[in-house]
C-alpha cells in the first residue's frame, strides 16, 4: 500500500547561532537541510550537521541517553533534552536555540555547570552531619525503605536547567533559586541524615529569592524531563516555611 | 604563560577523580580537578544497575563475604586480575558503600517480610529477616554467587555521582570545568602535571603538581557503537602513552555488554536480567539455558555476549535494517517492578524506541561497554614507570578486572580505588620524595609544543579530514577487533590503523579556524590520540594468541596459561613511531590465593601452567591444616596471600555484617 511507503523527509533545522569569541559575529538564524533517518534523534541530526555541513557548530552532548542532562536546549522554543528528542515527533521544519539565562559558550552550547555549581554552593546541597563520625567498618545506619525511595525520587534531578529556562520568576529575579534549587532543599529536608533544622532551611530559602518568590506559573513542572513532582514539593516547602516563620 | 600550582592535579571529574580529590583534601593537601564537562555529567552517571559490596543484608545475599566476592571477581577476570588488588578491593567495597550512604546516597533498602521475585522465569517468594530491615539491599547480577549488587533503583551511578560531587563541593575542591588536558609535563621519569586547553576560550594553561592523577574513564568510543558517553575517547590513556615513559596494560581487554538497545547502543542495565529478565531469539525462544544450563542469562558478561553472537550466527537473530538483534524480555517482571526498579530502562525504551517495556520486548545486541585495560599502575595507583603519575577507575589497569569485569564491579572500583589511591598519594605528598623542582622554562616548552601542534592543525592546507579517519577507525575496531577475533582480521586492522595514524599527522581543520571553542579542532587532536589507542588495542589483540575472558580468538580458542598468563604492557617509545611497543608482565602463580582453574562456562579448554598444580596442592594443604586447627577464614586467607599490610591503616578494619563480627 502506498501509505506504508513513507516519503523520507528532508528536515529543515533552523539554529540560532552566535560565537561570542568572534567580534564580527552576531546572533543569527541558520537553516540546515538534512535527510531524516529512522529513529533519528537531535543528537544524530546535529552531529550529522557538524560532520557534513558545518564543523564549527557548537552543542553539548555527553551520555546521549537522557541521563546526564548536558544537552538541554530550546526545541521550537520549549526547553528539553535534545538527545532523546526524536525528529519523527517534530514537524519538517523546526528551530533550535540555546537555553536562555545561562552563559553562552557558542551556538547551542551553554555553561550550565557554573550556574549549578553556584546554586549547590549557595544551598549547601550536601549532608550536614557533624555529630556522628562515620566508622566505615560498622553496619550502615538504617533507613525506612519507603523513605529511601522517596529521597531517590527527588534525587533524580539531572541539573539540566530546563526548569530554569521555563521559569517566569527567574526572568524578573535573577537570584531566584528556581525549581532545581527548591527541589534540592526538599530532598535534603526529607533526608534524616541531614541534620539541618527547619530554621536553617528557612535561612536558605525562606525569602523572595527562595520559595516565596515563586509565582506558581509552574512552567518548571511542564518541562522537567525527569517528571519530578516540582509543584507539590514547592507547595510543601511553602507550608513548611510558613510554619517555621510563625513558630519564630 | 599561565601556570597554576597545586599539590594534586586530577584529570577527570567522575566518581574516581572526585573520590581521590576529597581523600587528599581530607589529608590536608590541595587538589584541582580538570574536567571536560561538569562532574555531574560524567559517564559515571550512566552506571545504572548497581555497585557490588558484600554486605549480605538481603536474604539472597546471606552468607556473602569478601571471600565469595573475591572468588567471583577472580573467576570473572579469567585469572587475569591482580589478586592482591582484588583482595584490597573486596575488603574495602563495604566501607566505600557505607561511606557513600553517610554522604547521602539513598541506597534501596531491605524490607522485612515476604516479597516475590522472578528467578529463572518463575515467581518465587523470598522472606527478608526482621533484623535486616532498613539496611542496604542488593540484586542479582551476572557471574556472582550471591545477590551482592547494591543499587538505588536503576540510577545507581547517578545517585553516587551526585553524592560524591556534593561532597566535593562541601570540601571546597577546586574544579576547573571544560578544561582538557592535552599533554603531561614530565622529565627524567617524573611527572609534573599537565598542559590543559580551555575548551571555551582556547587558552593553554600549565598545571604543575607534585602528583597527577588520570581518572578519565575508558576508551569505548574508538568503536562505532558503544554504550559509553561520547567523551570516553581514551584521551587519558593517550596522555600517559604519549609520554613514552608511562605504560598501558591489557589494552586488548574490551568488554561487550549483552544488552544495549538497537540501533543506538544505549545500555539497558544487567539489572534487567538480574531481576529476572530473559533473552529470546527470533522465535521467542529462550536460548541461554541451552548454552549455559547453570547460569543461563546470568553467566558472566563476556560469556553471554559470545553466546548471543553465536546464536545470531546460527540465523536465530531478528532481522532489522540495522542488522540482527535479539530480544530482552522484562515483561514478566510486571509494570510495578519496572516502574520502581527499572525506570531509567523504561524511559530509555519510551524515548529511543517508542516502546513500553512492560508490554513489549526490547531489541538488544552485544555492544562495546567497558575497557578493562588502561594506565598500568602499582597497587598504589602509581604508574610503574613514571613517578608522580597516578590513575584510578576505568582509566587505570590497576588490575582488578583482568580480562573480564563483573557487572557492578566498575562503579565499586571507582570509589574504592579513589579512596585508596587518595591515601597513597597523600602518603607520597607527606614524604620528601614528592618534592619537585622544575624550571618554568621547561614548563613553557611543553605549552609551546602543544601550541605548535594546534597551530599546525589550523594552518595545514590540503590535509586529511579528521572525521573520515575517525569513522574508518571506528568501523575497523567494530568489524575486526570485536567480540570474536581472528589473526587475519586483526592483522588487517593493525595494518590499516597504522596507515590511518600516518595520515592523521596530516590532519587539517577545515573552515572552522577559531582558536576558542572549536569542536572541529577538538575532534582533530583527539582523533590523533584515539588512533594510537586503537592501535594498542588491535595490536595487543593480534599478538595475544589465546582466548581469555573478553578476548576471544577463534583461531586460538584455548586459555593458554602456559604461555599467556601475563599482562600486555604497551608503550609508545618515540613520538615518530607509527606502532606501539609491546612487552609482557608475568602473572605469578606461586603467590595466588586462587590458582587458575575452570570458570565453569562451556567446555574447559584451559591449557594449564605447570605451576598451577603445585600451587593448588599447596593452597589445599594450608587450608586443610588450618581448618583442622579451627582457624578463622581471615587466618586462612592471611596464610594463603597476606595483603592487609598493603592497605592504608585506616581501612584495615574487619567489616561488620549481620551475624558476623558485630
Amino acid at each position: 500500500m502506498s501509505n506504508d511507503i513513507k516519503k523520507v523527509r528532508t528536515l529543515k533545522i533552523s539554529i540560532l547561532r552566535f560565537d561570542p569569541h568572534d567580534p564580527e559575529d552576531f546572533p543569527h538564524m541558520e537553516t540546515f537541510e538534512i535527510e531524516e533517518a529512522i529513529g533519528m534523534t537531535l543528537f544524530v541530526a546535529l552531529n550529522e550537521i557538524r560532520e557534513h555541513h558545518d564543523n564549527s557548530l557548537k552543542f553539548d552532548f555527553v551520555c546521549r541517553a537522557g541521563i546526564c542532562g548536558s544537552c538541554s536546549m530550546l526545541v521550537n522554543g520549549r526547553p528539553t533534552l535534545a538527545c532523546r528528542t526524536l525528529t519523527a515527533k517534530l514537524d519538517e521544519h523546526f528551530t533550535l536555540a540555546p537555553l536562555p539565562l545561562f552563559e553562552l559558550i557558542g551556538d547551542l552550547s551553554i555553561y550550565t555547570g557554573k550556574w549549578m555549581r553556584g546554586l549547590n554552593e549557595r544551598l549547601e546541597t550536601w549532608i550536614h552531619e557533624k555529630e556522628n563520625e562515620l566508622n566505615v567498618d560498622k553496619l550502615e545506619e538504617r533507613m525506612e525503605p519507603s523513605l529511601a525511595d522517596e529521597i531517590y525520587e527527588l534525587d533524580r534531578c539531572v541539573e539540566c536547567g530546563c526548569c530554569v529556562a521555563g521559569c517566569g520568576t527567574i526572568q524578573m529575579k535573577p537570584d531566584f533559586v528556581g525549581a532545581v534549587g527548591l527541589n534540592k532543599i526538599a530532598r535534603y529536608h526529607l533526608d534524616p541524615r541531614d541534620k539541618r533544622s527547619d530554621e536553617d532551611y528557612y535561612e536558605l530559602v525562606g525569602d523572595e529569592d527562595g520559595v516565596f518568590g515563586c509565582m506558581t506559573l509552574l512552567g518548571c513542572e511542564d518541562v522537567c524531563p525527569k517528571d519530578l513532582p516540582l509543584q507539590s514539593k514547592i507547595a510543601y516547602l511553602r507550608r513548611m516555611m510558613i510554619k517555621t516563620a510563625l513558630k519564630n | 604563560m599561565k601556570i597554576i600550582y597545586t599539590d594534586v592535579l586530577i584529570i577527570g571529574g567522575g566518581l574516581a577523580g572526585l573520590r581521590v580529590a576529597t581523600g587528599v583534601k581530607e589529608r590536608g593537601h590541595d587538589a584541582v580537578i580538570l574536567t571536560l564537562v561538569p562532574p555531574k555529567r560524567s559517564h559515571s552517571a550512566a552506571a545504572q544497575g548497581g555497585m557490588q559490596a558484600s554486605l549480605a543484608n538481603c536474604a539472597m545475599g546471606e552468607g556473602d563475604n569478601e571471600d565469595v566476592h573475591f572468588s567471583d571477581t577472580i573467576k570473572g577476570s579469567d585469572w587475569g586480575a591482580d589478586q592482591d588488588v582484588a583482595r584490597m578491593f573486596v575488603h574495602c567495597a563495604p566501607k566505600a558503600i557505607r561511606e557513600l550512604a553517610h554522604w547521602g546516597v539513598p541506597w534501596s533498602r531491605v524490607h522485612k517480610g515476604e516479597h516475590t521475585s522472578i528467578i529463572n522465569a518463575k515467581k518465587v517468594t523470598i522472606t527478608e529477616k526482621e533484623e535486616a530491615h532498613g539496611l542496604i539491599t542488593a540484586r542479582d547480577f551476572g557471574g556472582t554467587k550471591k545477590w551482592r549488587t547494591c543499587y538505588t533503583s536503576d540510577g545507581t551511578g547517578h545517585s553516587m555521582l551526585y553524592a560524591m560531587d556534593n561532597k566535593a563541593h562541601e570540601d571546597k575542591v577546586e574544579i576547573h570545568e571544560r578544561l582538557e588536558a592535552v599533554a603531561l609535563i614530565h622529565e627524567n621519569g617524573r611527572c609534573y602535571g599537565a598542559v590543559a586547553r580551555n575548551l571555551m576560550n582556547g587558552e593553554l594553561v600549565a598545571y604543575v603538581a607534585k602528583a597527577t592523577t588520570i581518572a578519565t574513564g575508558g576508551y569505548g568510543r574508538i568503536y562505532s557503537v558503544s554504550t559509553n558517553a561520547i567523551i570516553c575517547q581514551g584521551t587519558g590513556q593517550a596522555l600517559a602513552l604519549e609520554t613514552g615513559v608511562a605504560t598501558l596494560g591489557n589494552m586488548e581487554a574490551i568488554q561487550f555488554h549483552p544488552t544495549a538497545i538497537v540501533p543506538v547502543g544505549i545500555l539497558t542495565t544487567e539489572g534487567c536480567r538480574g531481576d529476572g529478565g530473559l533473552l529470546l531469539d527470533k522465535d521467542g525462544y529462550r536460548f541461554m539455558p541451552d548454552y549455559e544450563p547453570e547460569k543461563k542469562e546470568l553467566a558472566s558478561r563476556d560469556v553471554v555476549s559470545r553466546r548471543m553472537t553465536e546464536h545470531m550466527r546460527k540465523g536465530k537473530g531478528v532481522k532489522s535494517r540495522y542488522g540482527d538483534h535479539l530480544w530482552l524480555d522484562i515483561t514478566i517482571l510486571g509494570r510495578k517492578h519496572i516502574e520502581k526498579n527499572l525506570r531509567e530502562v523504561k524511559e530509555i525504551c519510551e524515548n529511543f524506541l517508542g516502546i513500553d517495556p512492560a508490554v513489549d520486548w526490547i531489541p538488544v545486541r552485544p555492544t562495546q561497554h567497558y575497557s578493562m585495560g588502561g594506565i598500568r599502575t602499582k597497587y598504589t595507583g602509581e604508574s610503574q614507570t613514571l613517578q608522580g603519575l597516578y590513575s584510578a577507575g576505568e582509566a587505570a589497569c590497576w588490575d582488578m578486572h583482568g580480562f573480564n569485569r563483573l557487572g557492578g564491579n566498575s562503579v565499586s572500583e571507582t570509589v574504592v580505588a579513589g579512596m585508596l589511591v587518595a591515601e597513597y598519594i597523600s602518603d607520597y605528598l607527606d614524604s620528601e620524595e614528592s618534592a619537585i623542582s622544575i624550571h618554568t622554562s621547561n614548563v613553557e616548552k611543553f605549552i609551546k609544543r602543544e601550541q605548535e601542534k594546534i597551530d599546525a592543525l589550523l594552518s595545514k592546507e590540503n590535509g586529511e579530514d579528521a572525521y573520515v579517519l575517525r569513522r574508518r577507525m571506528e568501523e575497523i575496531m567494530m568489524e575486526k577487533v570485536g567480540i570474536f577475533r581472528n589473526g587475519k582480521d586483526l592483522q588487517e586492522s593493525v595494518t590499516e590503523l597504522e596507515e590511518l595514524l600516518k595520515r592523521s599527522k596530516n590532519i587539517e581543520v577545515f573552515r572552522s579556524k577559531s582558536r576558542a571553542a572549536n569542536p572541529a579542532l577538538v575532534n582533530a587532536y583527539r582523533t590523533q590520540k584515539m588512533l594510537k589507542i586503537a592501535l594498542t588495542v588491535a595490536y595487543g589483540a593480534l599478538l595475544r594468541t589465546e582466548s581469555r575472558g573478553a578476548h576471544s580468538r577463534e583461531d586460538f580458542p584455548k586459555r593458554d596459561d602456559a604461555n599467556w598468563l601475563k599482562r600486555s604492557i604497551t608503550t609508545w617509545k618515540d613520538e615518530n613511531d607509527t606502532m606501539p611497543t609491546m612487552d609482557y608482565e608475568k602473572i605469578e602463580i606461586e603467590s595466588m590465593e586462587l590458582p587458575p582453574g575452570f570458570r565453569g562456562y562451556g567446555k574447559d579448554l584451559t591449557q594449564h601452567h605447570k605451576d598451577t598444580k603445585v600451587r593448588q596442592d599447596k593452597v589445599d594443604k594450608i587450608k586443610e591444616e588450618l581448618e583442622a586447627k579451627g582457624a578463622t577464614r581471615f587466618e586462612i586467607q592471611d596464610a594463603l596471600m597476606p595483603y592487609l599490610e598493603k592497605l592504608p591503616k585506616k581501612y584495615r578494619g574487619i567489616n561488620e555484617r549481620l551475624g558476623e563480627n558485630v
Side-chain angles (χ1 to χ4, degrees), chain A residues 35-71:
Chain A
E35 207 169 271
E36 190 174 31
I38 299 277
M40 185 180 246
T41 61
L42 289 182
F43 165 71
V44 176
L46 285 169
N47 274 293
E48 190 167 321
I49 294 174
R50 183 191 275 176
E51 208 169 317
H52 300 293
H53 299 268
D54 188 336
N55 59 356
S56 69
L57 183 65
K58 293 172 255 308
F59 47 75
D60 297 315
F61 288 100
V62 180
C63 76
R64 60 81 175 92
I67 291 167
C68 76
S70 301
C71 62

Side-chain angles (χ1 to χ4, degrees), chain A residues 19 21-22 37-41 43-44 47 50-72 81-86 89 103-107 109-118 120-121 124-130 132-161 184 187-188 191 193 225-228, chain B residues 37-38 40-43 45-46 48 55 57 94-95 98-111 130-136 152-156 158-159 162 165-170 172-175 177-178 199-201 221 226-231 263-267 321-322 340 343-344 347-348 350-354 465 467 471 509-512 514 516-520 650-658 662:
Chain A
D19 182 353
H21 287 282
D22 179 355
I38 299 277
M40 185 180 246
T41 61
F43 165 71
V44 176
N47 274 293
R50 183 191 275 176
E51 208 169 317
H52 300 293
H53 299 268
D54 188 336
N55 59 356
S56 69
L57 183 65
K58 293 172 255 308
F59 47 75
D60 297 315
F61 288 100
V62 180
C63 76
R64 60 81 175 92
I67 291 167
C68 76
S70 301
C71 62
S72 38
L81 296 180
C83 73
R84 63 179 215 186
T85 301
L86 293 164
K89 293 190 175 168
E103 188 179 322
L104 182 74
I105 294 170
D107 301 333
S109 174
I110 46 165
Y111 201 173
T112 49
K114 187 174 164 190
W115 197 94
M116 293 296 168
R117 190 172 169 80
N120 283 310
E121 282 167 357
E124 303 192 358
T125 57
W126 52 83
I127 299 285
H128 289 59
E129 159 66 294
K130 293 284 166 254
N132 298 319
E133 186 119 344
L134 172 73
N135 179 340
V136 290
D137 300 338
K138 301 277 179 209
L139 282 188
E140 62 275 15
E141 233 177 273
R142 286 163 204 272
M143 182 183 275
E144 262 311 302
S146 56
L147 178 59
D149 294 345
E150 266 180 78
I151 295 170
Y152 174 65
E153 182 67 30
L154 305 184
D155 211 34
R156 293 179 70 243
C157 168
V158 294
E159 296 189 359
C160 61
K184 282 175 191 292
R187 181 243 176 271
Y188 283 93
D191 195 326
R193 295 170 292 195
K226 293 286 155 183
D227 295 322
L228 294 172
Chain B
V37 298
K40 285 185 171 110
R41 313 232 189 275
S42 305
H43 187 51
Q48 299 168 357
L55 299 179
N57 292 325
K95 302 180 199 303
R98 286 167 177 167
E99 192 176 72
L100 285 162
H102 190 69
W103 292 340
V105 176
W107 297 107
S108 295
R109 303 286 168 149
V110 178
H111 197 294
E130 172 97 34
E131 65 265 33
H133 187 77
L135 295 174
I136 297 170
T152 45
S153 180
D154 61 350
T156 314
H158 166 90
S159 64
Y162 270 53
D165 187 45
N166 290 335
K167 174 74 181 147
H169 285 317
E170 181 187 0
K172 302 201 167 21
V173 172
E174 217 173 303
I175 295 176
E177 267 176 39
R178 295 187 191 253
L199 294 170
M200 293 179 286
N201 62 24
R221 283 285 160 182
S226 167
T227 65
N228 287 188
I230 57 166
I231 53 172
V264 286
I266 295 171
L267 178 75
R321 59 188 293 157
Y322 301 104
K340 178 165 178 281
R343 51 193 297 176
E344 293 297 334
E347 272 189 19
I348 286 165
E350 286 168 353
N351 292 315
F352 295 93
L353 296 167
D465 182 345
Y467 279 115
R471 295 299 173 231
V509 179
F510 299 100
R511 298 178 302 274
S512 177
S514 170
N518 183 348
K650 65 198 275 195
Y651 296 128
R652 289 184 195 169
I654 290 177
N655 296 313
E656 234 181 55
R657 285 183 188 79
L658 282 177
V662 182

Side-chain angles (χ1 to χ4, degrees), chain B residues 637-652:
Chain B
Q637 194 287 319
D638 189 57
L640 293 174
M641 190 186 75
Y643 73 95
L644 268 184
E645 290 284 303
K646 291 192 162 138
L647 282 174
K649 279 208 178 70
K650 65 198 275 195
Y651 296 128
R652 289 184 195 169

Side-chain angles (χ1 to χ4, degrees), chain B residues 212-287:
Chain B
T212 303
T213 307
I214 296 180
T216 48
Y219 42 91
R221 283 285 160 182
I222 58 173
Y223 286 80
S224 56
V225 187
S226 167
T227 65
N228 287 188
I230 57 166
I231 53 172
C232 302
Q233 296 172 303
T235 46
Q237 286 85 3
L239 287 177
L241 189 67
E242 286 179 340
T243 61
V245 184
T247 58
L248 306 183
N250 288 346
M251 291 299 282
E252 68 273 31
I254 301 279
Q255 179 171 78
F256 289 78
H257 194 290
T259 61
I261 64 171
V262 179
V264 286
I266 295 171
L267 178 75
T268 58
T269 171
E270 186 156 312
C272 290
R273 281 169 293 131
D275 290 2
L278 304 175
L279 290 170
L280 307 177
D281 65 13
K282 65 172 186 178
D283 306 316
Y285 176 72
R286 184 185 176 201
F287 57 92

Side-chain angles (χ1 to χ4, degrees), chain B residues 326-357:
Chain B
L326 293 159
W327 300 111
L328 171 65
D329 173 14
I330 60 170
T331 61
I332 53 169
L333 307 185
R335 182 172 299 281
K336 199 174 144 216
H337 181 92
I338 292 169
E339 288 180 355
K340 178 165 178 281
N341 286 325
L342 296 169
R343 51 193 297 176
E344 293 297 334
V345 169
K346 183 167 178 278
E347 272 189 19
I348 286 165
C349 287
E350 286 168 353
N351 292 315
F352 295 93
L353 296 167
I355 63 166
D356 175 2

